[in-house]
């Protein structure tokens, strides 16, 4: 460890369990979506985590994976894959359980449920997120895009992050769930406090606010059913049994938490890259048939979330003692650029084949909304390049990005408008 290219966690970092070797407690906050930079590829700092001198597993002492404690971290592709796929060793129990801050004990469903029960909840929800279901949703997605792009196409400028990216996917999600658009600002405020505000009191108040709202929303859908996913869950049954109140709330809460800002952050970083690369714009504009693989590559080079799992039993990994109850976080921010898996990983290849990245997680807990996210991004690029000519980031714009869910708050673009 004398040659480790990353420093030890500083004095004042949170304490760690007794069985964690002090030399493995490292300061890798820069790879966990918290440290901003202005690099053309903002994820290049994570390359150091795959240096031969960097340990295969280390300990991150700060709160991780939605918990209030630290976690072991793996950074190589094959180790990340093991965490996602070895359900006998790693559990999702307690993942992103922000509801505990409000004294709630029910799980987020289906993410917080292990096999075999996980499959029944996934089967219940899957029909709403299949490619067939997305094809049915596509006309509505394109209608929203046409309306929104039409509002600024002739102006020659837009803040793609704040005025468009922040709004478009949320409108799609609100429609899907049956939430009123009047809740847009309040939803985003609650979610910001839950995910990004450090004060526990602030997080807890936001959780209490959204759960009170969701309980009222569920009651309304049970009183007056409609064709929305929210109503389907509120009135749902599995194997002939009505869902319990906690099952209904667990699913509705989980979808709310995951449906608001992941695609928004992806859009912001996607347009930052496009705005810096006219040749990439031209390639997609002139070859729209590559949009599906281009979207997959945008997803790969923009991993937003580093997921966590709870360890079920004691075991030794890479010579390190891991104990039952410990947490392991995977740094997708590193694994998506692992040279052992991806040829020339920092090259943006809009036609990359076999692009098995971890941006949408992996294993049985692969993101439920993966097909929806892909469809939104594909439709966006298709509609955008039909309407908007070559564009650039407005001069003197601060292009600093936080490579994670925080992403970019504002990104003004401009283009020439023919009179």
């Amino acid at each position: 460890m004398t040659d480790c290219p990353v420093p030890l966690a500083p004095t004042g970092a949170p304490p760690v369990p007794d069985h964690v070797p002090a030399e493995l407690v490292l300061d890798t906050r820069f790879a966990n979506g918290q440290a901003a930079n202005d690099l053309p590829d903002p994820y290049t700092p994570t390359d150091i985590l795959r240096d031969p001198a960097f340990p295969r597993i280390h300990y991150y002492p700060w709160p991780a994976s939605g918990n209030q404690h630290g976690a072991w971290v793996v950074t190589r592709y094959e180790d990340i894959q093991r965490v996602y796929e070895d359900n006998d060793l790693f559990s999702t129990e307690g993942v992103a359980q922000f509801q505990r801050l409000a004294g709630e004990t029910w799980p987020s469903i289906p993410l917080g449920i292990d096999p075999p029960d996980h499959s029944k909840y996934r089967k219940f929800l899957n029909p709403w997120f299949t490619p067939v279901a997305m094809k049915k949703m596509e006309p509505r997605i394109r209608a929203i895009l046409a309306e929104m792009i039409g509002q600024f196409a002739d102006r020659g400028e837009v803040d793609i992050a704040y005025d468009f990216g922040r709004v478009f996917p949320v409108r799609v999600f609100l429609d899907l769930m049956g939430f009123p658009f009047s809740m847009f600002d309040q939803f985003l405020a609650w979610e910001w406090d839950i995910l990004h505000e450090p004060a526990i009191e602030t997080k807890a108040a936001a959780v209490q606010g959204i759960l009170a709202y969701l309980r009222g929303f569920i009651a309304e859908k049970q009183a007056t059913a409609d064709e929305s996913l929210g109503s389907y869950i509120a009135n749902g049954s599995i194997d002939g049994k009505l869902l319990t109140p906690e099952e209904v709330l667990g699913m509705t809460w989980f979808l709310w938490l995951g449906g608001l800002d992941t695609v928004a952050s992806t859009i912001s970083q996607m347009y930052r890259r496009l705005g810096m690369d006219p040749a990439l714009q031209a390639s997609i504009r002139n070859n729209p048939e590559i949009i599906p693989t281009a979207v997959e590559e945008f997803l790969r080079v923009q991993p937003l979330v580093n997921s966590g799992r709870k360890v079920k039993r004691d075991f030794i990994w890479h010579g390190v003692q891991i104990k039952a109850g410990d947490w392991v976080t995977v740094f997708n921010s590193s694994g998506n650029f692992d040279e052992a898996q991806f040829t020339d990983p920092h090259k943006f290849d809009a036609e990359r084949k076999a692009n098995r990245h971890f941006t949408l997680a992996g294993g049985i807990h692969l993101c439920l909304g993966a097909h929806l996210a892909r469809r939104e991004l594909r439709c966006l690029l298709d509609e955008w390049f039909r309407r908007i000519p070559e564009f650039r980031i407005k001069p003197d714009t601060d292009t600093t990005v936080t490579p994670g869910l925080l992403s970019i708050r504002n990104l003004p673009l401009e283009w020439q408008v023919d009179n």
Side-chain angles (χ1 to χ4, degrees):
M1 286 297 295
T2 56
D3 296 324
C4 180
V6 173
L8 296 173
T11 302
V16 303
D18 292 340
H19 64 282
V20 177
E23 67 272 16
L24 290 179
V25 184
L26 304 177
D27 191 350
T28 52
R29 286 176 291 181
F30 66 90
N32 202 23
Q34 299 180 43
N37 67 63
D38 198 19
L39 299 169
D41 183 344
Y43 290 88
T44 52
T46 67
D47 288 351
I48 202 168
L49 304 183
R50 300 181 306 282
D51 186 291
F54 188 81
R56 289 292 292 258
I57 188 166
H58 71 280
Y59 199 86
Y60 182 92
W62 295 275
S65 303
N67 293 301
Q68 298 308 309
H69 53 72
W72 296 103
V73 177
V74 290
T75 61
R76 271 76 161 188
Y77 188 95
E78 66 175 345
D79 293 335
I80 294 171
Q81 186 173 34
R82 181 184 184 186
V83 173
Y84 280 135
E85 296 182 359
D86 189 346
N87 300 300
D88 292 329
L89 188 55
F90 300 103
S91 170
T92 58
E93 178 190 353
V95 172
Q97 296 287 92
F98 297 100
Q99 60 269 39
R100 289 180 177 174
L101 298 174
E104 306 282 358
T105 58
W106 42 265
S108 300
I109 302 175
L111 176 61
I113 302 293
D114 288 331
D117 287 342
H118 171 267
S119 62
K120 71 179 182 181
Y121 295 117
R122 189 82 181 211
K123 183 178 179 181
F124 172 76
L125 291 168
N126 270 346
W128 289 79
F129 296 98
T130 62
V132 172
M134 294 306 100
K135 188 173 183 179
K136 291 180 180 178
M137 282 186 64
E138 184 168 320
R140 176 56 181 159
I141 293 172
R142 288 187 180 273
I144 292 173
L145 284 167
E147 175 197 334
M148 294 188 69
I149 295 174
Q151 292 173 354
F152 57 74
D154 293 337
R155 291 207 317 259
E157 63 179 347
V158 69
D159 185 335
I160 196 68
Y162 193 83
D163 293 332
F164 179 83
R166 186 179 65 99
V167 181
F168 157 61
V170 179
R171 283 188 59 179
V172 174
F173 173 71
L174 296 179
D175 274 5
L176 175 66
M177 288 294 293
F179 290 131
F181 188 73
S182 60
M183 290 301 296
F184 175 86
D185 290 320
Q186 180 61 76
F187 277 0
L188 291 187
W190 277 330
E191 192 201 30
W192 179 271
D193 285 349
I194 292 168
L195 295 179
H196 305 305
E197 285 296 331
I200 298 300
E201 297 80 6
T202 303
K203 290 178 180 290
V207 171
Q208 290 166 350
I210 181 56
L211 291 182
Y213 174 83
L214 291 180
R215 285 187 165 100
F217 169 81
I218 290 166
E220 289 178 8
K221 296 301 181 184
Q222 289 171 337
T224 307
D226 57 35
E227 298 301 312
S228 68
L229 174 54
S231 179
Y232 171 78
I233 296 170
N235 299 285
S237 61
I238 295 178
D239 297 331
K241 292 184 177 180
L242 286 175
L243 297 174
T244 67
E246 288 190 344
E247 288 174 324
V248 171
L249 187 57
M251 288 189 211
T252 308
W253 151 259
F254 170 67
L255 291 172
W256 177 87
L257 185 66
L260 295 181
D261 67 355
T262 50
V263 175
S265 296
T266 298
I267 289 171
S268 298
Q269 291 196 44
M270 182 171 77
Y271 275 88
R272 179 182 185 269
R273 182 177 291 268
L274 285 166
M276 293 177 170
D277 192 343
L280 177 57
Q281 290 185 45
S283 177
I284 297 175
R285 185 188 308 279
N286 296 331
N287 304 281
E289 69 276 5
I290 71 171
I291 285 177
T293 52
V295 163
E296 215 58 44
E297 186 74 336
F298 279 119
L299 289 170
R300 181 185 72 85
V301 302
Q302 299 166 183
L304 300 177
V305 178
N306 291 325
S307 305
R309 298 290 186 266
K310 187 178 181 179
V311 177
K312 292 183 176 182
R313 56 177 168 78
D314 294 4
F315 74 111
I316 303 293
W317 200 7
H318 299 305
V320 177
Q321 174 69 63
I322 313 295
K323 292 194 173 183
D326 285 355
W327 279 76
V328 175
T329 287
V330 297
F331 273 10
N332 299 324
S333 56
S334 170
N336 276 9
F337 302 94
D338 193 328
E339 299 82 354
Q341 176 69 22
F342 303 100
T343 301
D344 199 358
H346 284 290
K347 175 186 177 183
F348 186 95
D349 181 357
E351 299 181 69
R352 188 181 293 272
K353 303 297 188 286
N355 200 343
R356 293 182 290 272
H357 57 77
F358 291 127
T359 297
L360 300 170
I364 64 169
H365 292 285
L366 183 72
C367 177
L368 180 66
H371 291 305
L372 175 58
R374 290 183 173 110
R375 186 72 58 147
E376 289 174 329
L377 295 171
R378 290 172 185 175
C379 291
L380 168 56
L381 289 179
D382 186 46
E383 295 290 337
W384 177 275
F385 283 111
R386 291 173 188 267
R387 300 285 301 273
I388 306 298
E390 180 178 332
F391 58 92
R392 65 173 182 168
I393 298 171
K394 224 171 188 180
D396 302 321
T397 292
D398 180 3
T399 54
T400 299
V401 55
T402 303
L405 277 177
L406 287 172
S407 196
I408 308 166
R409 193 70 168 167
N410 299 95
L411 188 69
L413 305 178
E414 63 180 13
W415 55 90
Q416 186 67 40
V417 176
D418 295 329
N419 295 322

